[in-house]
């Protein structure tokens, strides 16, 4: 069965706009960063030389509780690029939660009318009961690139959650970015290998065993299952996911990042989870769930082949964070339910109070 590869002419043509946008963003970030550094230096210079001026130090009277509260208030409504919530706030689901089932049912029906099978789930990460609602069948489908999340988690664990680690294949952080933000298959394959090569590697030489052992900590090794790397069709095709398993995995990833997972039952460490979620938030492949949402309000990972089109995302709203997953079939790279998925993402966010940047 033909599978998506990132190095085919068709794939390069399809991905060219995303890669160009990423290069442009990097250039703008560098320019903005340099300008900001000059401005900050000038302001600090004025502050230091002004009569009676004193720079506040952590723990000093000038940086006391009042200053902390002011910083928290100043940043609460602005994007900071972080998906985690270390304050561990609880957000009961809004009345709009009742609208989700009809929204998901409509997406399932719209996809079916265009010849695609689709299943979808939404899980309220910040609700006290972490309730979920799903629609469509929940049969496992080939995971495609969604499963790269597990490879990144396992590799980061093996290398001490150090994105600057100098692995035999280059800096670990660059591989994570390429695998998750750009969905590069070769980078994902190297993360698969690195899961058993780092200074903190588990006691096994089998990457598959190492990767699935991580997911099994939270009981999701069957619903979010890694079957192999992206080198051979007969191994990659054994990676499978369900919509319900996908929102469960995202919820565990966020719980770990928040630092609120029960002792001994966390998917991974807070440091690992935050790196993975950060790479998801800096995502180039945003034409599905994030397509009609404000920039900076999602952290997602897609999966697409000639026969599948998935997207799993953490979406931030005015009423809290939600895990949303769509697992669907396709009939070629241009016969997909992607527009249905984008519309569903918009309608889900609306029902939950509207998407806002993290």
């Amino acid at each position: 069965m033909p599978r998506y590869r990132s190095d085919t002419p068709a794939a390069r043509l399809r991905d060219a706009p995303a890669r160009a946008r990423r290069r442009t963003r990097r250039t703008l970030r560098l320019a903005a960063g340099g300008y900001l550094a000059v401005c900050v230096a000038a302001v600090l210079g004025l502050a230091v030389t002004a009569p009676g001026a004193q720079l506040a130090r952590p723990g000093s009277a000038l940086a006391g509780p009042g200053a902390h509260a002011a910083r928290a208030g100043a940043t609460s409504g602005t994007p900071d690029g972080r998906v985690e919530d270390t304050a561990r706030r609880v957000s009961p689901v809004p009345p709009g939660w009742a609208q989700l089932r009809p929204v998901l049912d409509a997406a399932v029906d719209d996809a079916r009318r265009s010849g695609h099978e689709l299943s979808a789930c939404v899980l309220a990460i910040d609700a006290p009961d972490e309730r979920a609602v799903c629609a469509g069948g929940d049969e496992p489908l080939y995971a495609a690139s969604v499963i790269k999340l597990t490879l990144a988690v396992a590799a980061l664990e093996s290398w001490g959650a150090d994105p600057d680690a100098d692995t035999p294949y280059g800096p670990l952080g660059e591989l994570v970015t390429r695998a998750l933000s750009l969905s590069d298959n070769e980078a994902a394959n190297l993360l698969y290998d690195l899961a058993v090569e780092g200074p903190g590697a588990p006691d096994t030489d089998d990457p598959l065993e190492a990767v699935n052992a991580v997911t099994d900590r939270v009981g999701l090794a069957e619903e979010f299952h890694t079957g192999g790397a992206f080198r051979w069709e007969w191994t990659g095709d054994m990676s499978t996911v369900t919509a319900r398993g996908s929102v469960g995995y995202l919820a565990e990833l966020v719980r770990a990042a928040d630092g609120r997972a029960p002792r001994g039952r966390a998917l991974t460490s807070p440091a690992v989870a935050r790196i993975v979620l950060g790479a998801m938030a800096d995502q180039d492949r945003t034409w599905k769930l994030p397509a009609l949402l404000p920039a900076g309000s999602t952290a997602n990972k897609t999966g697409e082949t000639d026969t599948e089109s998935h997207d799993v995302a953490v979406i931030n709203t005015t009423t809290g964070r939600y895990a949303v997953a769509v697992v669907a079939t396709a009939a070629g790279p241009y016969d997909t339910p992607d527009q249905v998925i984008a519309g569903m993402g918009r309608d889900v966010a609306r029902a939950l109070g509207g998407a806002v940047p993290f």
Side-chain angles (χ1 to χ4, degrees), residues 85 139 142 145 159 207 220 270 289-290 293 302 304 317 327 352:
D85 175 15
E139 291 299 314
Y142 170 57
S145 292
W159 289 80
L220 290 171
L289 286 173
L293 301 180
T302 66
E304 45 268 330
T317 76
V327 173
L352 298 171

Side-chain angles (χ1 to χ4, degrees), residues 271-290:
V272 168
R274 291 169 189 173
I275 293 169
V276 170
L277 287 167
M280 293 171 64
D282 188 22
Q283 179 61 248
D284 270 11
R285 310 173 86 81
T286 57
W287 60 80
K288 299 181 195 178
L289 286 173

Side-chain angles (χ1 to χ4, degrees), residues 2-308:
R3 294 299 183 194
Y4 173 80
R5 293 183 58 195
S6 60
D7 56 352
T8 63
R12 286 196 294 271
L13 179 64
R14 178 170 63 184
D15 294 345
R19 295 182 184 275
R21 287 194 301 272
R22 186 175 182 83
R23 287 194 296 269
T24 301
R25 285 204 303 269
R26 282 177 174 169
T27 301
L28 291 174
R29 284 172 184 163
L30 288 173
Y35 179 75
L36 180 60
V38 171
C39 292
V40 170
V43 171
L44 288 176
L46 289 173
V48 171
T49 57
Q54 179 180 353
L55 291 179
R57 299 184 307 276
S60 70
L62 293 176
H68 176 77
R71 288 195 303 272
T75 60
S76 61
T78 58
D80 60 3
R82 299 174 65 183
V83 177
E84 69 272 12
D85 175 15
T86 54
R88 307 179 188 180
R89 289 164 289 192
V90 175
S91 303
V93 297
W97 180 266
Q99 302 172 25
L100 292 187
R101 184 56 188 261
V103 167
L104 302 190
D105 284 339
V108 172
D109 292 341
D110 288 347
R112 185 176 294 120
R113 280 192 288 271
S114 60
H116 308 113
E117 295 299 319
L118 181 151
S119 60
C121 285
V122 180
L123 185 150
I125 294 173
D126 297 319
D129 57 359
E130 293 191 359
R131 68 184 65 183
V133 59
C134 300
D138 204 35
E139 291 299 314
L141 286 183
Y142 170 57
S145 292
V146 168
I147 212 63
K148 291 171 183 174
L149 294 175
T150 67
L151 310 185
V153 169
L156 283 163
E157 284 199 0
S158 181
W159 289 80
D162 180 9
D164 296 323
D166 188 15
T167 77
Y169 315 115
L172 181 60
E174 291 185 10
L175 295 174
V176 171
T177 296
R178 283 169 49 197
L180 299 188
S181 302
L182 300 177
S183 205
D184 182 81
N185 284 351
E186 182 54 31
N189 291 338
L190 297 177
L191 291 177
Y192 178 84
D193 297 337
L194 291 171
V196 293
E197 293 183 12
D203 188 20
T204 177
D205 293 328
D206 182 1
L208 195 57
E209 181 182 343
V211 172
N212 281 311
V214 175
T215 314
D216 199 36
R217 293 171 189 163
V218 292
L220 290 171
E222 295 301 318
E223 293 181 277
F224 206 80
H225 178 72
T226 305
F230 292 83
R231 294 187 174 105
W232 305 283
E233 182 174 322
W234 54 89
T235 55
D237 281 7
M238 295 174 67
S239 295
T240 58
V241 294
T242 67
R244 187 176 293 275
S246 296
V247 293
Y249 189 89
L250 291 178
E252 294 292 350
L253 194 61
V254 173
R255 185 182 292 112
D258 289 352
R260 59 186 174 89
R263 184 179 296 275
R265 290 164 50 196
L267 172 69
T268 188
S269 71
V272 168
R274 291 169 189 173
I275 293 169
V276 170
L277 287 167
M280 293 171 64
D282 188 22
Q283 179 61 248
D284 270 11
R285 310 173 86 81
T286 57
W287 60 80
K288 299 181 195 178
L289 286 173
L292 304 177
L293 301 180
S297 62
T298 60
N300 74 298
K301 182 70 196 80
T302 66
E304 45 268 330
T305 72
D306 289 338
T307 52
E308 286 86 22

